[in-house]
Amino acid sequence: MIDAHIHLEQYEPEVSEQMLSELPTLGIEALIAVSMNLDSCFRTQKLAATYPGMVHPAYGFHPEQPLPQETELCNLLEWIERQDREDFIAVGEIGLPYYSRAEALERGEAFDMEPYIQLLDQLLGLAARIDKPVVLHAVYEDALIACDLLEKHGIKRVHFHWFKGPEEAIVRMINNGCYISFTPDILYEPEIQELARRYPPQLVMAETDGPWPFEGPFAGKITHPSMIQDVAAAWGALHGYTPGQAEEILIANTRRFYSL
C-alpha cells in the first residue's frame, strides 16, 4: 500500500529510519511525504534522496502556522519552481487555517483570513504553472473557498487530505473529481464513517498524517504507515469489500492520482 499523506520529516530521525527500514516487510511500498515550510522542504527532500522510490516528496506551506514573511514566501516559491519536476510529486501541504482561526476566535481574538486566502492563491498559481497536483488542508466551510480558488486556476488534480465538510462542499468536490483520503480515525469516528460511505470509492486514498496521534485502538501508539492497512479494512467494510479488495482499490487510486 501507499501512505497518501505523512509528515515524515516531523518524526525523530531514529524513528523514521526504523519505520522506513521495516516498511517493505509490512506491505507498505511508498509514502507521499508532505512539507510544512521551506526548512521542512529541505528535510523532506533529503529523505526522498536517501530513500528513492519509497519517499515521494511534496513541497508547500502548511496553513496552520503564522504567515510567512514576504522574503520567506518568495524564497519558498522560487525554490519549488527551481526543482526538477521529476524530483517531487505535488505541491503540499497547502490550504487554509481552520483550526488556528477557531482557536483564536474561541480566545476572543480577531483573525484575518484574507492573507491566508491570498497565500493559497499564490501557491495554487504555482501548482498550475508547474502542472503539479495539490495536497490540501481545507476543512468544513474552508473547502468552499478552496474550491473557488481551484476553479479559478483550473486545477483538476486535487487531494483534500483528512477532509470533513458540509454537503455543499462534498457535492462540489465530487463533481470536480477531487480525491480525499481517510486516516485511522475512520475506525472510531462516526462523522468520518458517514463521509466514507458517501464519497465515491474511485476517489479515495488512505493516509496516516503521521506523526499525528490517534485514539481508539491506536491510543498511545506512534503513528506508523502500516496503519493504513487498518484504514483500508475499515473503509472496505463500509462498502462490502474484503480487506484485500479494499487495498487493491486504494492502491490503484493512489497510483492513478500521483502518477506512480
Side-chain angles (χ1 to χ4, degrees):
M1 292 192 71
I2 302 164
D3 187 339
H5 188 100
I6 186 170
H7 295 266
L8 189 61
E9 54 82 28
Q10 296 284 308
Y11 287 86
E12 292 296 330
E14 61 272 17
V15 175
S16 61
E17 287 171 16
Q18 174 65 30
M19 284 195 324
L20 289 161
S21 69
E22 63 194 17
L23 289 187
T25 67
L26 297 174
I28 307 300
E29 173 187 316
L31 314 171
I32 309 301
V34 297
S35 304
M36 299 282 292
N37 50 44
L38 186 54
D39 286 342
S40 171
C41 289
F42 294 156
R43 294 192 296 274
T44 302
Q45 184 181 54
K46 185 176 180 181
L47 284 163
T50 306
Y51 299 93
M54 179 179 286
V55 177
H56 298 281
Y59 303 136
F61 188 91
H62 196 292
E64 301 284 0
Q65 59 183 321
L67 288 160
Q69 297 295 318
E70 187 174 347
T71 301
E72 181 187 355
L73 177 58
C74 288
N75 289 341
L76 173 66
L77 295 172
E78 290 171 3
W79 183 84
I80 294 174
E81 198 145 14
R82 285 200 310 270
Q83 301 310 300
D84 189 315
R85 304 291 189 266
E86 300 301 313
D87 289 344
F88 69 107
I89 204 161
V91 173
E93 178 173 359
I94 61 176
L96 295 168
Y98 178 85
Y99 298 106
S100 298
R101 182 174 77 255
E103 289 169 6
L105 295 176
E106 192 173 318
R107 294 191 299 267
E109 300 170 4
F111 192 97
D112 187 2
M113 273 286 285
E114 192 55 37
Y116 285 93
I117 294 172
Q118 292 174 5
L119 172 60
L120 179 57
D121 191 31
Q122 287 181 273
L123 289 162
L124 290 175
L126 168 66
R129 286 196 306 277
I130 64 177
D131 191 27
K132 285 290 183 183
V134 295
V135 186
L136 280 176
H137 170 100
V139 296
Y140 301 111
E141 62 268 23
D142 288 356
L144 296 168
I145 301 172
C147 285
D148 288 341
L149 293 173
L150 291 164
E151 290 166 7
K152 169 187 171 182
H153 290 283
I155 296 174
K156 303 295 185 185
R157 292 186 293 166
V158 183
H159 173 191
F160 282 83
H161 102 95
W162 205 345
F163 176 75
K164 313 91 168 158
E167 178 67 13
E168 182 183 357
I170 294 168
V171 169
R172 197 164 165 190
M173 288 161 56
I174 292 172
N175 289 340
N176 290 342
C178 299
Y179 284 62
I180 65 173
S181 52
F182 292 104
T183 73
D185 76 347
I186 193 174
L187 274 78
Y188 56 85
E189 287 285 359
E191 174 192 15
I192 300 300
Q193 292 164 355
E194 184 56 37
L195 175 62
R197 292 187 188 95
R198 171 85 172 79
Y199 218 81
Q202 70 272 18
L203 298 176
V204 170
M205 298 182 277
E207 62 156 304
T208 59
D209 200 28
W212 186 267
F214 291 92
E215 300 171 9
F218 310 103
K221 298 180 181 179
I222 293 175
T223 298
H224 192 287
S226 61
M227 290 177 180
I228 59 172
Q229 293 163 336
D230 298 296
V231 174
W235 174 80
L238 297 171
H239 291 274
Y241 302 128
T242 66
Q245 290 170 329
E247 288 188 13
E248 286 181 9
I249 293 168
L250 299 179
I251 292 166
N253 292 348
T254 310
R255 287 188 189 282
R256 182 171 62 251
F257 181 84
Y258 283 109
S259 303
L260 293 172

